[in-house]
PDB file of all heavy atoms in Angstrom:
ATOM      1  N   ALA A 210     -10.106   2.776   6.879  1.00 97.00           N
ATOM      2  CA  ALA A 210     -10.426   3.240   8.273  1.00 97.00           C
ATOM      3  C   ALA A 210      -9.499   4.374   8.483  1.00 97.00           C
ATOM      4  O   ALA A 210      -8.267   4.331   8.148  1.00 97.00           O
ATOM      5  CB  ALA A 210     -10.221   2.155   9.274  1.00 97.00           C
ATOM      6  N   ALA A 211      -9.986   5.572   8.938  1.00 97.00           N
ATOM      7  CA  ALA A 211      -9.152   6.770   9.233  1.00 97.00           C
ATOM      8  C   ALA A 211      -8.731   6.758  10.576  1.00 97.00           C
ATOM      9  O   ALA A 211      -7.968   7.771  10.879  1.00 97.00           O
ATOM     10  CB  ALA A 211      -9.965   7.958   8.730  1.00 97.00           C
ATOM     11  N   SER A 212      -9.051   5.904  11.414  1.00 98.00           N
ATOM     12  CA  SER A 212      -8.613   5.852  12.877  1.00 98.00           C
ATOM     13  C   SER A 212      -8.518   4.432  13.302  1.00 98.00           C
ATOM     14  O   SER A 212      -9.087   3.556  12.678  1.00 98.00           O
ATOM     15  CB  SER A 212      -9.688   6.710  13.686  1.00 98.00           C
ATOM     16  OG  SER A 212     -10.750   5.895  13.844  1.00 98.00           O
ATOM     17  N   ILE A 213      -7.767   4.257  14.399  1.00 98.00           N
ATOM     18  CA  ILE A 213      -7.591   2.928  14.960  1.00 98.00           C
ATOM     19  C   ILE A 213      -8.981   2.541  15.490  1.00 98.00           C
ATOM     20  O   ILE A 213      -9.406   1.350  15.321  1.00 98.00           O
ATOM     21  CB  ILE A 213      -6.501   2.932  15.994  1.00 98.00           C
ATOM     22  CG1 ILE A 213      -5.214   3.299  15.370  1.00 98.00           C
ATOM     23  CG2 ILE A 213      -6.463   1.599  16.738  1.00 98.00           C
ATOM     24  CD1 ILE A 213      -4.051   3.539  16.362  1.00 98.00           C
ATOM     25  N   ASP A 214      -9.743   3.297  16.083  1.00 97.00           N
ATOM     26  CA  ASP A 214     -11.087   2.934  16.609  1.00 97.00           C
ATOM     27  C   ASP A 214     -12.003   2.505  15.452  1.00 97.00           C
ATOM     28  O   ASP A 214     -12.662   1.523  15.643  1.00 97.00           O
ATOM     29  CB  ASP A 214     -11.745   4.164  17.378  1.00 97.00           C
ATOM     30  CG  ASP A 214     -11.094   4.384  18.719  1.00 97.00           C
ATOM     31  OD1 ASP A 214     -10.387   3.618  19.150  1.00 97.00           O
ATOM     32  OD2 ASP A 214     -11.263   5.590  19.287  1.00 97.00           O
ATOM     33  N   GLU A 215     -11.983   3.192  14.370  1.00 97.00           N
ATOM     34  CA  GLU A 215     -12.759   2.844  13.282  1.00 97.00           C
ATOM     35  C   GLU A 215     -12.292   1.460  12.761  1.00 97.00           C
ATOM     36  O   GLU A 215     -13.177   0.635  12.296  1.00 97.00           O
ATOM     37  CB  GLU A 215     -12.620   3.930  12.059  1.00 97.00           C
ATOM     38  CG  GLU A 215     -13.511   3.670  10.921  1.00 97.00           C
ATOM     39  CD  GLU A 215     -13.410   4.688   9.830  1.00 97.00           C
ATOM     40  OE1 GLU A 215     -12.821   5.739  10.098  1.00 97.00           O
ATOM     41  OE2 GLU A 215     -13.917   4.494   8.760  1.00 97.00           O
ATOM     42  N   ALA A 216     -11.000   1.179  12.792  1.00 97.00           N
ATOM     43  CA  ALA A 216     -10.515  -0.100  12.210  1.00 97.00           C
ATOM     44  C   ALA A 216     -11.079  -1.197  13.157  1.00 97.00           C
ATOM     45  O   ALA A 216     -11.447  -2.318  12.721  1.00 97.00           O
ATOM     46  CB  ALA A 216      -9.035  -0.146  12.204  1.00 97.00           C
ATOM     47  N   PHE A 217     -10.958  -0.992  14.433  1.00 97.00           N
ATOM     48  CA  PHE A 217     -11.500  -2.006  15.414  1.00 97.00           C
ATOM     49  C   PHE A 217     -12.938  -2.190  15.201  1.00 97.00           C
ATOM     50  O   PHE A 217     -13.491  -3.346  15.299  1.00 97.00           O
ATOM     51  CB  PHE A 217     -11.256  -1.560  16.842  1.00 97.00           C
ATOM     52  CG  PHE A 217      -9.817  -1.986  17.424  1.00 97.00           C
ATOM     53  CD1 PHE A 217      -8.934  -1.043  17.784  1.00 97.00           C
ATOM     54  CD2 PHE A 217      -9.616  -3.291  17.612  1.00 97.00           C
ATOM     55  CE1 PHE A 217      -7.696  -1.525  18.325  1.00 97.00           C
ATOM     56  CE2 PHE A 217      -8.325  -3.743  17.986  1.00 97.00           C
ATOM     57  CZ  PHE A 217      -7.424  -2.785  18.480  1.00 97.00           C
ATOM     58  N   GLU A 218     -13.732  -1.101  14.940  1.00 96.00           N
ATOM     59  CA  GLU A 218     -15.145  -1.269  14.745  1.00 96.00           C
ATOM     60  C   GLU A 218     -15.349  -2.116  13.420  1.00 96.00           C
ATOM     61  O   GLU A 218     -16.242  -2.987  13.539  1.00 96.00           O
ATOM     62  CB  GLU A 218     -15.745   0.096  14.514  1.00 96.00           C
ATOM     63  CG  GLU A 218     -15.986   0.871  15.695  1.00 96.00           C
ATOM     64  CD  GLU A 218     -16.448   2.355  15.549  1.00 96.00           C
ATOM     65  OE1 GLU A 218     -17.076   2.555  14.438  1.00 96.00           O
ATOM     66  OE2 GLU A 218     -16.239   3.193  16.393  1.00 96.00           O
ATOM     67  N   LEU A 219     -14.527  -1.948  12.402  1.00 95.00           N
ATOM     68  CA  LEU A 219     -14.742  -2.714  11.179  1.00 95.00           C
ATOM     69  C   LEU A 219     -14.478  -4.185  11.463  1.00 95.00           C
ATOM     70  O   LEU A 219     -15.155  -5.082  11.014  1.00 95.00           O
ATOM     71  CB  LEU A 219     -13.822  -2.193  10.081  1.00 95.00           C
ATOM     72  CG  LEU A 219     -14.237  -0.881   9.394  1.00 95.00           C
ATOM     73  CD1 LEU A 219     -13.120  -0.420   8.473  1.00 95.00           C
ATOM     74  CD2 LEU A 219     -15.482  -1.122   8.584  1.00 95.00           C
ATOM     75  N   LEU A 220     -13.492  -4.477  12.236  1.00 93.00           N
ATOM     76  CA  LEU A 220     -13.195  -5.807  12.646  1.00 93.00           C
ATOM     77  C   LEU A 220     -14.235  -6.431  13.411  1.00 93.00           C
ATOM     78  O   LEU A 220     -14.527  -7.628  13.467  1.00 93.00           O
ATOM     79  CB  LEU A 220     -11.784  -5.955  13.383  1.00 93.00           C
ATOM     80  CG  LEU A 220     -10.526  -5.736  12.517  1.00 93.00           C
ATOM     81  CD1 LEU A 220      -9.306  -5.692  13.445  1.00 93.00           C
ATOM     82  CD2 LEU A 220     -10.388  -6.811  11.500  1.00 93.00           C
ATOM     83  N   GLY A 221     -14.866  -5.615  14.349  1.00 92.00           N
ATOM     84  CA  GLY A 221     -15.906  -6.122  15.221  1.00 92.00           C
ATOM     85  C   GLY A 221     -17.233  -6.397  14.507  1.00 92.00           C
ATOM     86  O   GLY A 221     -18.090  -6.983  15.115  1.00 92.00           O
ATOM     87  N   THR A 222     -17.430  -5.926  13.312  1.00 91.00           N
ATOM     88  CA  THR A 222     -18.635  -6.165  12.589  1.00 91.00           C
ATOM     89  C   THR A 222     -18.755  -7.625  12.113  1.00 91.00           C
ATOM     90  O   THR A 222     -19.817  -8.089  11.612  1.00 91.00           O
ATOM     91  CB  THR A 222     -18.824  -5.238  11.466  1.00 91.00           C
ATOM     92  OG1 THR A 222     -17.798  -5.501  10.417  1.00 91.00           O
ATOM     93  CG2 THR A 222     -18.803  -3.809  11.747  1.00 91.00           C
ATOM     94  N   GLY A 223     -17.655  -8.362  12.125  1.00 86.00           N
ATOM     95  CA  GLY A 223     -17.651  -9.695  11.644  1.00 86.00           C
ATOM     96  C   GLY A 223     -17.336  -9.783  10.073  1.00 86.00           C
ATOM     97  O   GLY A 223     -17.475 -10.809   9.496  1.00 86.00           O
ATOM     98  N   GLU A 224     -16.992  -8.626   9.446  1.00 85.00           N
ATOM     99  CA  GLU A 224     -16.716  -8.670   8.069  1.00 85.00           C
ATOM    100  C   GLU A 224     -15.401  -9.454   7.937  1.00 85.00           C
ATOM    101  O   GLU A 224     -14.489  -9.446   8.769  1.00 85.00           O
ATOM    102  CB  GLU A 224     -16.344  -7.204   7.632  1.00 85.00           C
ATOM    103  CG  GLU A 224     -17.571  -6.452   7.230  1.00 85.00           C
ATOM    104  CD  GLU A 224     -17.235  -5.353   6.229  1.00 85.00           C
ATOM    105  OE1 GLU A 224     -16.852  -5.658   5.085  1.00 85.00           O
ATOM    106  OE2 GLU A 224     -17.498  -4.155   6.541  1.00 85.00           O
ATOM    107  N   THR A 225     -15.406 -10.219   6.866  1.00 92.00           N
ATOM    108  CA  THR A 225     -14.166 -11.055   6.530  1.00 92.00           C
ATOM    109  C   THR A 225     -12.989 -10.112   6.164  1.00 92.00           C
ATOM    110  O   THR A 225     -13.227  -9.235   5.383  1.00 92.00           O
ATOM    111  CB  THR A 225     -14.521 -12.005   5.474  1.00 92.00           C
ATOM    112  OG1 THR A 225     -15.538 -12.816   5.859  1.00 92.00           O
ATOM    113  CG2 THR A 225     -13.228 -12.835   5.152  1.00 92.00           C
ATOM    114  N   VAL A 226     -11.933 -10.317   6.698  1.00 95.00           N
ATOM    115  CA  VAL A 226     -10.695  -9.584   6.378  1.00 95.00           C
ATOM    116  C   VAL A 226      -9.583 -10.664   6.100  1.00 95.00           C
ATOM    117  O   VAL A 226      -9.397 -11.477   6.931  1.00 95.00           O
ATOM    118  CB  VAL A 226     -10.158  -8.637   7.406  1.00 95.00           C
ATOM    119  CG1 VAL A 226      -8.933  -7.978   7.090  1.00 95.00           C
ATOM    120  CG2 VAL A 226     -11.321  -7.533   7.566  1.00 95.00           C
ATOM    121  N   ASP A 227      -8.955 -10.571   4.969  1.00 94.00           N
ATOM    122  CA  ASP A 227      -7.886 -11.512   4.621  1.00 94.00           C
ATOM    123  C   ASP A 227      -6.487 -10.963   4.954  1.00 94.00           C
ATOM    124  O   ASP A 227      -5.650 -11.635   5.447  1.00 94.00           O
ATOM    125  CB  ASP A 227      -7.908 -11.959   3.116  1.00 94.00           C
ATOM    126  CG  ASP A 227      -9.155 -12.676   2.877  1.00 94.00           C
ATOM    127  OD1 ASP A 227      -9.494 -13.659   3.385  1.00 94.00           O
ATOM    128  OD2 ASP A 227      -9.935 -12.113   1.883  1.00 94.00           O
ATOM    129  N   TRP A 228      -6.310  -9.715   4.810  1.00 93.00           N
ATOM    130  CA  TRP A 228      -5.041  -9.016   4.902  1.00 93.00           C
ATOM    131  C   TRP A 228      -5.310  -7.570   5.394  1.00 93.00           C
ATOM    132  O   TRP A 228      -6.476  -7.083   5.235  1.00 93.00           O
ATOM    133  CB  TRP A 228      -4.237  -8.956   3.632  1.00 93.00           C
ATOM    134  CG  TRP A 228      -3.850 -10.214   2.935  1.00 93.00           C
ATOM    135  CD1 TRP A 228      -3.652 -11.413   3.487  1.00 93.00           C
ATOM    136  CD2 TRP A 228      -3.582 -10.525   1.629  1.00 93.00           C
ATOM    137  NE1 TRP A 228      -3.322 -12.370   2.655  1.00 93.00           N
ATOM    138  CE2 TRP A 228      -3.207 -11.679   1.398  1.00 93.00           C
ATOM    139  CE3 TRP A 228      -3.520  -9.593   0.482  1.00 93.00           C
ATOM    140  CZ2 TRP A 228      -2.788 -12.310   0.183  1.00 93.00           C
ATOM    141  CZ3 TRP A 228      -3.121 -10.105  -0.749  1.00 93.00           C
ATOM    142  CH2 TRP A 228      -2.847 -11.510  -0.809  1.00 93.00           C
ATOM    143  N   ALA A 229      -4.245  -7.018   5.927  1.00 96.00           N
ATOM    144  CA  ALA A 229      -4.375  -5.569   6.308  1.00 96.00           C
ATOM    145  C   ALA A 229      -3.142  -4.754   5.904  1.00 96.00           C
ATOM    146  O   ALA A 229      -2.009  -5.351   6.003  1.00 96.00           O
ATOM    147  CB  ALA A 229      -4.626  -5.512   7.788  1.00 96.00           C
ATOM    148  N   VAL A 230      -3.318  -3.452   5.597  1.00 96.00           N
ATOM    149  CA  VAL A 230      -2.330  -2.583   5.193  1.00 96.00           C
ATOM    150  C   VAL A 230      -2.486  -1.399   6.347  1.00 96.00           C
ATOM    151  O   VAL A 230      -3.556  -0.800   6.229  1.00 96.00           O
ATOM    152  CB  VAL A 230      -2.339  -2.077   3.832  1.00 96.00           C
ATOM    153  CG1 VAL A 230      -1.296  -1.024   3.483  1.00 96.00           C
ATOM    154  CG2 VAL A 230      -2.336  -3.175   2.791  1.00 96.00           C
ATOM    155  N   LEU A 231      -1.407  -1.273   7.159  1.00 97.00           N
ATOM    156  CA  LEU A 231      -1.548  -0.319   8.298  1.00 97.00           C
ATOM    157  C   LEU A 231      -0.539   0.725   8.274  1.00 97.00           C
ATOM    158  O   LEU A 231       0.742   0.488   8.048  1.00 97.00           O
ATOM    159  CB  LEU A 231      -1.385  -1.116   9.561  1.00 97.00           C
ATOM    160  CG  LEU A 231      -2.101  -2.381   9.836  1.00 97.00           C
ATOM    161  CD1 LEU A 231      -1.638  -3.076  11.100  1.00 97.00           C
ATOM    162  CD2 LEU A 231      -3.572  -2.170   9.773  1.00 97.00           C
ATOM    163  N   ASP A 232      -1.010   2.009   8.371  1.00 97.00           N
ATOM    164  CA  ASP A 232      -0.094   3.147   8.584  1.00 97.00           C
ATOM    165  C   ASP A 232       0.355   2.988  10.125  1.00 97.00           C
ATOM    166  O   ASP A 232      -0.556   2.479  10.793  1.00 97.00           O
ATOM    167  CB  ASP A 232      -0.720   4.456   8.287  1.00 97.00           C
ATOM    168  CG  ASP A 232       0.137   5.619   8.386  1.00 97.00           C
ATOM    169  OD1 ASP A 232       1.381   5.484   8.484  1.00 97.00           O
ATOM    170  OD2 ASP A 232      -0.341   6.746   8.351  1.00 97.00           O
ATOM    171  N   ILE A 233       1.451   3.349  10.365  1.00 96.00           N
ATOM    172  CA  ILE A 233       1.898   3.208  11.748  1.00 96.00           C
ATOM    173  C   ILE A 233       1.448   4.310  12.738  1.00 96.00           C
ATOM    174  O   ILE A 233       0.979   4.029  13.832  1.00 96.00           O
ATOM    175  CB  ILE A 233       3.517   3.114  11.881  1.00 96.00           C
ATOM    176  CG1 ILE A 233       3.837   1.833  11.229  1.00 96.00           C
ATOM    177  CG2 ILE A 233       3.926   3.215  13.261  1.00 96.00           C
ATOM    178  CD1 ILE A 233       5.427   1.661  11.283  1.00 96.00           C
ATOM    179  N   ASN A 234       1.377   5.523  12.252  1.00 96.00           N
ATOM    180  CA  ASN A 234       0.896   6.597  13.025  1.00 96.00           C
ATOM    181  C   ASN A 234      -0.448   7.080  12.380  1.00 96.00           C
ATOM    182  O   ASN A 234      -0.413   7.745  11.287  1.00 96.00           O
ATOM    183  CB  ASN A 234       1.885   7.783  13.020  1.00 96.00           C
ATOM    184  CG  ASN A 234       1.595   8.936  13.893  1.00 96.00           C
ATOM    185  OD1 ASN A 234       0.394   9.240  14.093  1.00 96.00           O
ATOM    186  ND2 ASN A 234       2.583   9.594  14.409  1.00 96.00           N
ATOM    187  N   VAL A 235      -1.453   6.866  13.061  1.00 97.00           N
ATOM    188  CA  VAL A 235      -2.788   7.211  12.644  1.00 97.00           C
ATOM    189  C   VAL A 235      -3.430   8.181  13.519  1.00 97.00           C
ATOM    190  O   VAL A 235      -3.757   7.919  14.656  1.00 97.00           O
ATOM    191  CB  VAL A 235      -3.709   5.938  12.515  1.00 97.00           C
ATOM    192  CG1 VAL A 235      -5.106   6.265  11.906  1.00 97.00           C
ATOM    193  CG2 VAL A 235      -3.021   4.873  11.657  1.00 97.00           C
ATOM    194  N   GLN A 236      -3.668   9.313  13.071  1.00 96.00           N
ATOM    195  CA  GLN A 236      -4.162  10.448  13.800  1.00 96.00           C
ATOM    196  C   GLN A 236      -3.433  10.722  15.195  1.00 96.00           C
ATOM    197  O   GLN A 236      -4.032  10.946  16.257  1.00 96.00           O
ATOM    198  CB  GLN A 236      -5.625  10.320  14.074  1.00 96.00           C
ATOM    199  CG  GLN A 236      -6.487  10.451  12.844  1.00 96.00           C
ATOM    200  CD  GLN A 236      -7.951  10.346  13.038  1.00 96.00           C
ATOM    201  OE1 GLN A 236      -8.432  10.146  14.196  1.00 96.00           O
ATOM    202  NE2 GLN A 236      -8.737  10.409  12.027  1.00 96.00           N
ATOM    203  N   GLY A 237      -2.080  10.504  15.095  1.00 95.00           N
ATOM    204  CA  GLY A 237      -1.250  10.745  16.265  1.00 95.00           C
ATOM    205  C   GLY A 237      -1.180   9.527  17.213  1.00 95.00           C
ATOM    206  O   GLY A 237      -0.394   9.612  18.159  1.00 95.00           O
ATOM    207  N   ALA A 238      -1.840   8.462  16.897  1.00 96.00           N
ATOM    208  CA  ALA A 238      -1.889   7.189  17.707  1.00 96.00           C
ATOM    209  C   ALA A 238      -1.095   6.198  16.979  1.00 96.00           C
ATOM    210  O   ALA A 238      -1.246   6.083  15.782  1.00 96.00           O
ATOM    211  CB  ALA A 238      -3.176   6.791  18.026  1.00 96.00           C
ATOM    212  N   MET A 239      -0.340   5.340  17.731  1.00 96.00           N
ATOM    213  CA  MET A 239       0.419   4.307  17.180  1.00 96.00           C
ATOM    214  C   MET A 239      -0.383   3.101  16.897  1.00 96.00           C
ATOM    215  O   MET A 239      -1.249   2.754  17.774  1.00 96.00           O
ATOM    216  CB  MET A 239       1.613   3.856  18.025  1.00 96.00           C
ATOM    217  CG  MET A 239       2.650   5.177  18.280  1.00 96.00           C
ATOM    218  SD  MET A 239       3.112   5.927  16.747  1.00 96.00           S
ATOM    219  CE  MET A 239       4.492   4.962  16.290  1.00 96.00           C
ATOM    220  N   ILE A 240      -0.162   2.397  15.792  1.00 97.00           N
ATOM    221  CA  ILE A 240      -1.118   1.335  15.268  1.00 97.00           C
ATOM    222  C   ILE A 240      -0.978  -0.045  16.062  1.00 97.00           C
ATOM    223  O   ILE A 240      -1.683  -0.859  15.818  1.00 97.00           O
ATOM    224  CB  ILE A 240      -0.969   1.159  13.729  1.00 97.00           C
ATOM    225  CG1 ILE A 240      -2.083   0.354  13.122  1.00 97.00           C
ATOM    226  CG2 ILE A 240       0.404   0.427  13.583  1.00 97.00           C
ATOM    227  CD1 ILE A 240      -3.286   1.149  13.018  1.00 97.00           C
TER     228      ILE A 240
END
Side-chain angles (χ1 to χ4, degrees):
S212 71
I213 295 171
D214 288 342
E215 187 180 347
F217 273 116
E218 286 175 22
L219 287 169
L220 287 175
T222 65
E224 277 204 66
T225 301
V226 174
D227 297 302
W228 299 336
V230 178
L231 311 175
D232 187 7
I233 290 179
N234 184 331
V235 181
Q236 294 185 358
M239 301 310 271
I240 198 74

